[in-house]
Amino acid sequence: MNNVTNEIVRSQLGGALLTGYSATPEYLTKLKKNISLVREIARQYCDLTITDVDSRIYFVRYFVMIIKDVIKFLPTYIDELRPGRRLEAFCISSGVHRDDVFWKWCDTVCCDMEGQVVYHHLKESLDELRELLAEVENAMMHCDPAIFERFFYIEEQHYSSSGVARRFETWLYDNGYPDIDKLRELQAQVVAETLKMGVLDFAKTPSQKEIDEVNRDTLKGLLPYDFEMTADFIVACAKWRRFMHWDGYTLIVNYKKYGKYIQAHFYDFSDKQLQAIFELDMMVHLINEELARLNQVTTITITNHVPEEELFKFIHPSISGEEEWQIHEEVKRLVTHHGIQEICQYLYQMAKDKRILLPQMPSAAYAELVRMGMPTTAGFSEKYFKNHYRII
């Protein structure tokens, strides 16, 4: 577990920032601003209701001036990008060169200016811009993937973590000594809420195989009962799986892939989406830290379990060794921290995951859970248990 924790600390605390990073030069700040302005001017021109030709020509002259400013800085940026510098400071989308909408806006401007003196300056500037943007994209394609990881964390530094930390501390207080299961629920919920904001709308459409690999039953068990599992949400989950993997219950994000996606569509995100993207990363880091702490406590408990303690009777026959005692401890925490409905729902999921094999008779299961520590007070009667008991 220490190796996993070290990986999280290295990545999520920005250890990757230390290699090849220097202060952002002034020209790059101007370039970032002007490339955004070029897109915005092209869009606004196509929305203009002004029919006066002289007014439109004045607008286009300003457009050409901004394009020339971009063209002036791009060669320097490309030269610095090739050896692996500057990507962290410049959020130009690698998709700008292939942004059909943007170039349609430019085509509209050119068509309107045909026959005008400014037309040739406009056409030459746009052709040069297209060529330079293609070079930028080509340079990015040959960058070390680690640079996209570095980009992600440098952008994340623009957002404060104090609000996220307060929310997590409040959640810990409200849930009073949460166990691993509750942390997994929080983990699923914060990811789901961010995905529903459309932060992966620009990722490639997943295959049917990727969609089928989304474990809907597990998600239903972790998310609030009234969470709407729409088709779009399942598609977003399939996309999210491309950027992460699990180490036990710990969520590990591949920042080389994820950072490249964020960088490629930086201009496409709204301010709220960008904030959600980086705040999710901060929250996942806090949850992972708490999971690591609890897992360490659980490991000590399992290692020091009393040999005379009788193992939970309904562990699946395919499971053996230390994993048996892990499931044993998991069931003990389950029955001592949750109500009947949650207990039955979680047992059903464990059975579906082939971790336990529940008996046909509810009374046998009830007796074993009582032995494991489940109370028999009001709300925990055998009759109430039978109403919620399910087997595969």
Side-chain angles (χ1 to χ4, degrees):
M1 191 66 198
N2 287 336
N3 292 334
V4 175
T5 305
N6 289 338
E7 178 183 350
I8 295 166
V9 170
R10 181 194 66 79
S11 292
Q12 292 184 307
L13 294 185
L17 301 179
L18 300 177
T19 305
Y21 173 65
S22 58
T24 305
E26 185 180 355
Y27 90 87
L28 212 49
T29 303
K30 292 178 180 177
L31 180 57
K32 178 179 175 180
K33 176 183 177 181
N34 285 343
I35 195 69
S36 180
L37 191 55
V38 165
R39 293 170 65 119
E40 183 60 21
I41 293 172
R43 183 191 68 78
Q44 287 185 9
Y45 182 91
C46 295
D47 292 339
L48 280 177
T49 57
I50 301 171
T51 56
D52 178 66
V53 175
D54 289 339
S55 297
R56 283 182 170 267
I57 290 174
Y58 181 81
F59 198 96
V60 172
R61 283 176 178 164
Y62 179 64
F63 184 45
V64 172
M65 183 184 72
I66 301 300
I67 292 174
K68 287 184 179 295
D69 278 345
V70 171
I71 290 171
K72 180 176 62 176
F73 293 129
L74 275 176
T76 303
Y77 170 66
I78 292 169
D79 288 342
E80 292 194 316
L81 179 61
R82 285 199 174 105
R85 297 195 300 271
R86 303 308 176 208
L87 177 64
E88 70 276 5
F90 185 36
C91 302
I92 181 172
S93 169
S94 60
V96 169
H97 177 237
R98 296 166 299 181
D99 188 343
D100 292 338
V101 174
F102 171 68
W103 293 111
K104 282 180 181 178
W105 291 337
C106 294
D107 288 342
T108 299
V109 180
C110 285
C111 288
D112 280 1
M113 291 297 110
E114 281 194 52
Q116 305 295 334
V117 175
V118 75
Y119 173 77
H120 296 289
H121 297 290
L122 172 65
K123 191 72 169 61
E124 288 175 1
S125 298
L126 286 172
D127 287 344
E128 190 172 357
L129 177 64
R130 188 191 293 268
E131 183 179 336
L132 287 169
L133 288 175
E135 284 191 49
V136 170
E137 185 174 1
N138 184 62
M140 287 181 179
M141 289 173 65
H142 294 88
C143 279
D144 182 346
I147 203 171
F148 294 102
E149 179 180 24
R150 196 155 71 242
F151 161 83
F152 183 90
Y153 284 109
I154 289 174
E155 287 301 324
E156 187 174 50
Q157 288 181 350
H158 298 156
Y159 296 83
S160 172
S161 62
S162 58
V164 179
R166 280 196 298 271
R167 290 202 301 272
F168 184 65
E169 289 170 1
T170 300
W171 182 88
L172 288 174
Y173 176 78
D174 290 344
N175 285 271
Y177 305 105
D179 56 14
I180 289 176
D181 297 330
K182 292 299 293 182
L183 282 163
R184 288 186 67 206
E185 290 176 9
L186 176 63
Q187 188 182 68
Q189 187 171 343
V190 294
V191 170
E193 288 171 351
T194 304
L195 294 184
K196 292 203 82 170
M197 293 182 67
V199 299
L200 293 182
D201 283 355
F202 309 109
K204 290 183 179 179
T205 303
S207 66
Q208 187 60 51
K209 179 176 180 292
E210 288 178 302
I211 291 174
D212 292 341
E213 288 174 349
V214 176
N215 194 327
R216 292 168 172 81
D217 291 334
T218 298
L219 280 173
K220 286 180 181 177
L222 294 172
L223 293 172
Y225 78 94
D226 58 349
F227 188 90
E228 191 175 0
M229 303 275 287
T230 64
D232 287 343
F233 173 70
I234 298 301
V235 169
C237 290
K239 293 176 180 179
W240 174 243
R241 283 167 52 85
R242 296 170 181 167
F243 302 116
M244 49 74 66
H245 69 273
W246 297 98
D247 191 303
Y249 294 143
T250 304
L251 192 159
I252 306 293
V253 177
N254 184 328
Y255 291 97
K256 295 178 178 67
K257 290 183 179 180
Y258 191 46
K260 181 169 175 38
Y261 167 73
I262 301 302
Q263 183 275 334
H265 299 281
F266 200 88
Y267 282 127
D268 299 319
F269 297 121
S270 67
D271 291 341
K272 285 186 177 180
Q273 285 176 322
L274 284 173
Q275 184 169 346
I277 285 167
F278 294 116
E279 288 194 353
L280 170 63
D281 186 65
M282 297 171 195
M283 182 64 81
V284 166
H285 171 57
L286 293 172
I287 294 171
N288 282 345
E289 280 189 329
E290 187 66 13
L291 280 168
R293 187 188 69 78
L294 286 178
N295 190 72
Q296 187 176 22
V297 172
T298 302
T299 301
I300 293 172
T301 303
I302 293 171
T303 303
N304 298 310
H305 69 81
V306 181
E308 291 77 16
E309 185 176 0
E310 185 181 349
L311 192 67
F312 179 57
K313 291 180 180 178
F314 302 124
I315 294 174
H316 197 278
S318 64
I319 291 174
S320 60
E322 199 62 47
E323 190 177 355
E324 290 181 303
W325 287 105
Q326 290 177 356
I327 294 174
H328 175 89
E329 295 296 329
E330 190 173 340
V331 173
K332 282 177 67 175
R333 291 196 305 274
L334 174 67
V335 299
T336 55
H337 287 80
H338 298 281
I340 286 293
Q341 293 186 38
E342 290 82 6
I343 291 171
C344 290
Q345 182 180 3
Y346 197 83
L347 290 173
Y348 177 74
Q349 186 59 50
M350 291 178 75
K352 288 192 68 174
D353 295 340
K354 295 185 177 180
R355 301 177 67 211
I356 62 175
L357 188 61
L358 292 172
Q360 295 289 329
M361 298 296 294
S363 57
Y366 181 80
E368 177 63 0
L369 294 175
V370 169
R371 185 187 71 81
M372 293 290 290
M374 186 174 73
T376 56
T377 53
F380 290 89
S381 67
E382 185 172 349
K383 181 179 179 181
Y384 188 55
F385 175 80
K386 289 179 180 179
N387 290 338
H388 295 278
Y389 184 71
R390 287 194 299 164
I391 58 174
I392 301 300

